[in-house]
Amino acid sequence: MIRLDRTQLLEYAGALADLLADTVNGGASVGFLAPLDRAQALAWWEERAADVAAGRLAVWAAHDGDRVLGTVSLAFPAKPNSRHRAELVKLMVHRDARGRGLGRGLLTTAEGAAAEAGITLLHLDTETGSPAEQLYRSAGWTAIGAIPDYAASPDGELRPTTIYYKRVPATALTR
């Protein structure tokens, strides 16, 4: 698993696009409607490069050769009163790689990096009733509620979204 800088993100953009398309076309709600074609997914990832370069976004990729099997990102707010928190976004595992602990590994990586960066609070949203909820709950995340009809699923159906948070203990590096 590697944290991607701007150059690496652009190098891996095609493989990340394949992962994003697989995730969306497999029914996971990560902000896109199906069918998602590779060109749309590639453009979306390439647009993230500026945020990575500016430090507004951290992206990790788990790969096997040139194939990206999973990814997770942390989005950092720009507001001065929000620098202690980050949003966990786009945790995705390719359908072929699920059930092997990769999602847990990506989540652990992001949480550890957040702690090392001095982040003390993480938050995320996920489709209510999705398999992702089991992962977050088992990893110690706390659900604070659901918003009805918050986002459309890949097939266009409005679905509720559950908001989660997790306090991140400071590491020895940040104390």
Side-chain angles (χ1 to χ4, degrees):
M1 201 161 328
I2 59 170
R3 181 172 175 175
L4 304 176
D5 63 22
R6 179 190 179 282
T7 301
Q8 291 167 315
L9 177 70
L10 292 171
E11 288 171 6
Y12 279 95
L16 288 162
D18 293 338
L19 172 64
L20 178 57
D22 173 77
T23 302
V24 172
N25 295 333
S29 180
V30 290
F32 298 87
L33 298 175
L36 179 64
D37 68 37
R38 189 173 193 275
Q40 292 171 301
L42 180 62
W44 186 85
W45 276 110
E46 288 173 341
E47 290 169 6
R48 308 284 75 77
D51 289 334
V52 168
R56 293 184 296 264
L57 183 70
V59 178
W60 289 266
H63 61 93
D64 181 14
D66 290 338
R67 186 171 179 225
V68 173
L69 300 177
T71 188
V72 67
S73 300
L74 289 175
F76 303 101
K79 298 176 201 152
N81 73 341
S82 304
R83 302 248 165 87
H84 65 287
R85 70 176 190 240
E87 182 178 9
L88 187 110
V89 295
K90 300 298 184 270
L91 174 59
M92 296 181 273
V93 175
H94 195 283
R95 285 181 279 180
D96 294 344
R98 292 184 186 157
R100 300 184 218 158
L102 184 54
R104 170 85 54 185
L106 288 160
L107 187 57
T108 300
T109 295
E111 290 173 0
E116 288 179 11
I119 300 298
T120 58
L121 182 67
L122 291 172
H123 63 97
L124 64 85
D125 65 83
T126 193
E127 183 179 331
T128 304
S130 71
E133 281 200 288
Q134 173 61 30
L135 171 63
Y136 299 129
R137 288 176 195 263
S138 69
W141 287 70
T142 301
I144 59 171
I147 303 170
D149 298 337
Y150 184 78
S153 63
D155 65 5
E157 179 184 342
L158 291 179
R159 303 277 301 142
T161 294
T162 302
I163 310 298
Y164 285 84
Y165 77 91
K166 186 172 186 178
R167 293 193 184 277
V168 179
T171 67
L173 297 175
T174 60
R175 289 185 190 151

